[in-house]
Amino acid sequence: FGVGAGDIFLTPRHGFQNGPMILSPRGRLLWFEPLREPAYNLEVQRYRRQPVLTWFQGSWLQGGEDVIVDQSYRTAAVVRAGEGYGTDLHEFQITPQGTALVDSYSPVRADLSAVGGPSAGTVLDCIVQDIDIRTGRVLWEWHALGHVPLSASYTATPHSAHVADDYFHLNSIEQLPDGNFLVSARNTWTVYEISRRTGDVLWRLGGKNS
């Protein structure tokens, strides 16, 4: 790629070189935080009216944590999903209110026979939480299961009870100016607007019922 005007943000995870990294436009190393486990989604956000760096670190299978560091690269906060759920790598957004939007994937026992799967199957529920960064308290929570049917998925349902059906696969979350949320799902090919007040799906763009 060509030389640009801005710094380059990377999260290498090959061999022993795990961790968030910043390079100059010409590829000179500016900063690197070595980690024992991989990091993902290094980006600049704002927290308490100041620019910060954020990233996810840890195992996406077993759950990790979202990290906020200040302009001196000191840890300002660490955010984890609440209510016993593991923090997933797909999304971490700091809202203008100073809260954090995070996601979780949670296996749930379910009857999948209506979509061609086992009656004693497992499905991955995708969960969105709005968390008070200072206290870790969950302020709002939404589950894909119960709001989006299994039939909305474009992925083939596993025939084995030992393989979870990743029917939704949440990719991103964004808070809208009115407080509602946009959620995108890879496996339903859809973007949803979710009501903060009720949790209902207000509209869908894409997918089987756009």
Side-chain angles (χ1 to χ4, degrees):
F1 50 87
V3 175
D7 294 336
I8 302 165
F9 283 34
L10 303 171
T11 51
R13 55 187 184 92
H14 295 287
F16 296 97
Q17 192 162 290
N18 293 318
M21 175 187 295
I22 301 177
L23 304 179
S24 74
R26 295 189 175 274
R28 183 171 64 88
L29 179 65
L30 302 177
W31 174 76
F32 176 58
E33 178 71 21
L35 299 175
R36 296 175 65 90
E37 295 184 299
Y40 300 86
N41 300 336
L42 175 63
E43 60 181 310
V44 176
Q45 301 197 61
R46 296 191 69 83
Y47 177 55
R48 295 181 176 176
R49 301 183 180 180
Q50 298 297 320
V52 293
L53 290 177
T54 67
W55 69 84
F56 171 91
Q57 65 185 33
S59 168
W60 65 274
L61 289 172
Q62 299 173 349
E65 58 191 15
D66 293 302
V67 179
I68 304 172
V69 299
D70 63 19
Q71 296 177 73
S72 299
Y73 303 108
R74 294 175 300 207
T75 301
V78 175
V79 181
R80 300 178 183 89
E83 308 298 342
Y85 295 112
T87 313
D88 180 68
L89 64 89
H90 279 84
E91 186 63 286
F92 176 51
Q93 291 293 322
I94 300 175
T95 70
Q97 294 74 35
T99 65
L101 297 175
V102 304
D103 76 293
S104 297
Y105 282 57
S106 179
V108 176
R109 300 292 291 178
D111 182 355
L112 305 180
S113 58
V115 288
S119 58
T122 303
V123 63
L124 288 179
D125 186 13
C126 287
I127 301 155
V128 178
Q129 290 183 339
D130 187 14
I131 295 177
D132 185 291
I133 294 175
R134 185 177 60 85
T135 65
R137 185 166 64 94
V138 177
L139 305 175
W140 183 84
E141 184 173 292
W142 182 83
H143 292 248
L145 281 177
H147 291 99
V148 178
L150 299 176
S151 59
S153 183
Y154 285 91
T155 61
T157 304
H159 296 293
S160 171
H162 302 291
V163 179
D165 182 9
D166 186 12
Y167 92 106
F168 192 75
H169 200 102
L170 185 148
N171 275 129
S172 64
I173 313 162
E174 182 176 347
Q175 180 176 282
L176 297 171
D178 62 4
N180 292 336
F181 300 98
L182 286 183
V183 172
S184 71
R186 185 176 80 184
N187 288 347
T188 62
W189 304 358
T190 305
V191 175
Y192 303 86
E193 181 179 354
I194 309 299
S195 167
R196 184 182 185 102
R197 185 176 63 85
T198 66
D200 292 339
V201 175
L202 301 179
W203 57 256
R204 297 172 296 273
L205 178 63
K208 297 180 180 179
N209 297 288
S210 183

